[in-house]
Amino acid sequence: MLFTTNGILLTRENINAILSYKGDLPFIGISLNACSAGTYRKIMGVDAFDAVVSNVKHITAALSKQGRKTRVSISMIVMKENLDELPLLPDLVHGTGAASVSVRAAEFTSSYTKDWFSSDEQNIRLDEKLLRAFERYVGEVEGRCAALGIEAICKEGHSVMFSGMCNELFDFLGIRNDGETFACCSGAFIPMGNLRDCADFWALWNSEKRQHMRTCIVNGDIPPECRHELCPYWRTRKNIDGFDAKSYRCSFQLLDTDAGISDAGLSVTGEAAISLRGRVTNSGNKTWSNTGLDRAHFFRIGGHILGTPRGAVLKELRGDMKADVHPGETIDFDLSVDVSGLGHGTYYLKLDMVQERMFWFEDRWSSPLILKLRLS
């Protein structure tokens, strides 16, 4: 079970109820959207900033006491009103005991005004100066998170949200209080029918329109309804030369490790980090070149540690390339895998190539290397 909340009702009583759940609880996400009480009150409409921060501290402490592997993440949806508070987020999150920071620019599905709020004024994508400031702050957040030892999920291309393709139509259906439904939680409002007009939920979930859009995605295309600037996945995809599914492919071979390795995976005993040495081959038709790129968009060797093969990301890994890699070429790599704080048990290590703030190669239909990781 994945659990997302604004944290206001994470009282002691409700925390105890959550902790009584005996199933898998890999992730709890808390939407904070501010780093000060005044900004929180203005954006969220309630005076609850201190209470939410206190609630997060209590639930992280309670999870730690229980020995649960649950990753607690605090998110901030960035708009003009809270933009300048973004650099404060890593230290705030670190003080709560949460394990990660999630940041992305706000998506507005239409233009509207209510009280002080105007979507056009708050949308940083409509102001080049604000957008550049956001990108600069994201770099600061990533650097500070690295120094504090917490994860930063700040990929503006949303690539961390997709596993091989956009999963929104397979995992999500938005339902308004009037019964109207929409396709996803990112981008513009794409109507999918009214729940009140359907025989049951499944008729709407598997409607002809929804199935057609899913087929487009599975076949490596973008549905026509999604081809607009409000869709973060489309923004990422359209900036890549072509949508050829063979453009970005990689294959990995492990050569050596300071952990025990077998056909069953990796076994680690009493280590905070392990070193992987291997080779990666460019089996696509695009060169992995960092020449002329800002470091924020470099190609890197990366990976994730997961609780289950397709579960929540517990840790994110990076390793720099030593040279450009042309199609057909192979390079050696060394990758440090931080396993501190995970606890004993079985995990999954996924190795893949990534272009920062753009996409993981798995998003381009490449197959990552997935290994079982046993910690004891």
Side-chain angles (χ1 to χ4, degrees):
M1 180 177 73
L2 304 181
F3 186 76
T4 302
T5 173
N6 61 22
I8 295 174
L9 295 180
L10 278 180
T11 60
R12 305 293 197 284
E13 180 181 358
N14 288 334
I15 288 173
N16 289 335
I18 292 169
L19 295 180
S20 68
Y21 176 68
K22 302 303 182 183
D24 188 24
L25 184 62
F27 176 86
I28 296 176
I30 294 101
S31 304
L32 192 59
N33 300 328
C35 292
S36 70
T39 301
Y40 184 93
R41 186 186 311 112
K42 190 169 185 179
I43 291 176
M44 303 296 286
V46 292
D47 190 7
F49 178 79
D50 292 336
V52 172
V53 171
S54 176
N55 290 345
V56 177
K57 291 179 180 178
H58 283 296
I59 197 166
T60 55
L63 288 165
S64 177
K65 185 176 180 179
Q66 268 199 0
R68 301 285 286 257
K69 300 174 184 177
T70 306
R71 179 171 63 95
V72 178
S73 177
I74 293 181
S75 67
M76 185 168 178
I77 306 301
V78 183
M79 59 189 78
K80 182 179 180 181
E81 190 65 29
N82 61 9
L83 175 63
D84 289 336
E85 293 190 356
L86 183 53
L88 304 176
L89 188 60
D91 286 276
L92 174 63
V93 171
H94 185 254
T96 67
S100 72
V101 167
S102 177
V103 173
R104 66 182 177 92
E107 305 283 351
F108 298 105
T109 60
S110 61
S111 296
Y112 63 95
T113 300
K114 183 178 180 181
D115 299 329
W116 67 271
F117 182 86
S118 166
S119 61
D120 288 344
E121 290 181 4
Q122 291 296 317
N123 191 346
I124 63 176
R125 298 190 190 285
L126 301 180
D127 187 317
E128 187 70 17
K129 183 178 179 181
L130 293 178
L131 191 56
R132 297 287 80 79
F134 171 69
E135 292 175 347
R136 184 176 70 254
Y137 286 154
V138 164
E140 293 179 16
V141 167
E142 291 176 325
R144 184 58 179 158
C145 284
L148 293 171
I150 58 179
E151 182 184 27
I153 304 176
C154 306
K155 309 302 182 291
E156 178 56 8
H158 271 22
S159 60
V160 294
M161 296 178 64
F162 304 110
S163 179
M165 57 189 177
C166 173
N167 286 333
E168 293 280 321
L169 285 161
F170 300 87
D171 297 341
F172 178 91
L173 179 69
I175 305 174
R176 293 195 320 207
N177 58 3
D178 60 359
E180 287 296 327
T181 65
F182 49 97
C184 70
C185 63
S186 299
F189 179 86
I190 303 174
M192 303 302 294
N194 194 298
L195 189 57
R196 295 173 178 173
D197 299 331
C198 297
D200 57 38
F201 172 81
W202 298 110
L204 192 60
W205 178 256
N206 292 315
S207 67
E208 183 178 350
K209 180 178 180 179
R210 197 170 180 87
Q211 291 291 67
H212 174 72
M213 294 174 71
R214 288 170 175 159
T215 300
C216 286
I217 291 171
V218 169
N219 290 336
D221 200 2
I222 299 292
E225 298 91 338
C226 305
R227 294 176 180 243
H228 49 71
E229 288 300 311
L230 289 174
C231 174
Y233 196 52
W234 169 248
R235 282 200 306 271
T236 301
R237 291 287 303 274
K238 77 182 184 65
N239 290 324
I240 302 170
D241 294 333
F243 296 154
D244 182 359
K246 298 180 181 179
S247 293
Y248 296 96
R249 294 291 185 95
C250 61
S251 58
F252 286 87
Q253 177 188 5
L254 289 186
L255 299 177
D256 191 15
T257 174
D258 51 16
I261 185 169
S262 67
D263 291 340
L266 301 173
S267 297
V268 183
T269 303
E271 299 288 342
I274 58 176
S275 177
L276 294 181
R277 290 170 288 278
R279 290 175 178 156
V280 59
T281 299
N282 182 345
S283 49
N285 55 31
K286 298 285 187 182
T287 297
W288 309 340
S289 175
N290 291 331
T291 303
L293 292 180
D294 182 272
R295 282 190 62 85
H297 295 91
F298 270 14
F299 285 92
R300 287 189 172 93
I301 297 158
H304 295 121
I305 297 179
L306 313 170
T308 61
R310 293 181 60 83
V313 175
L314 304 179
K315 285 181 178 287
E316 194 164 307
L317 316 170
R318 288 295 189 278
D320 288 333
M321 294 193 324
K322 298 176 182 178
D324 292 350
V325 186
H326 299 279
E329 290 185 343
T330 298
I331 60 167
D332 293 343
F333 69 86
D334 295 289
L335 184 66
S336 178
V337 180
D338 176 17
V339 296
S340 61
L342 289 178
H344 297 171
T346 299
Y347 302 87
Y348 293 83
L349 173 63
K350 179 191 292 186
L351 296 181
D352 197 5
M353 291 294 300
V354 60
Q355 185 177 12
E356 301 290 9
R357 297 198 197 172
M358 293 297 290
F359 57 90
W360 290 83
F361 279 31
E362 186 180 9
D363 298 344
R364 304 278 80 79
W365 297 275
S366 180
S367 297
L369 175 64
I370 301 177
L371 299 168
K372 274 190 177 181
L373 176 62
R374 292 183 176 85
L375 304 183
S376 59

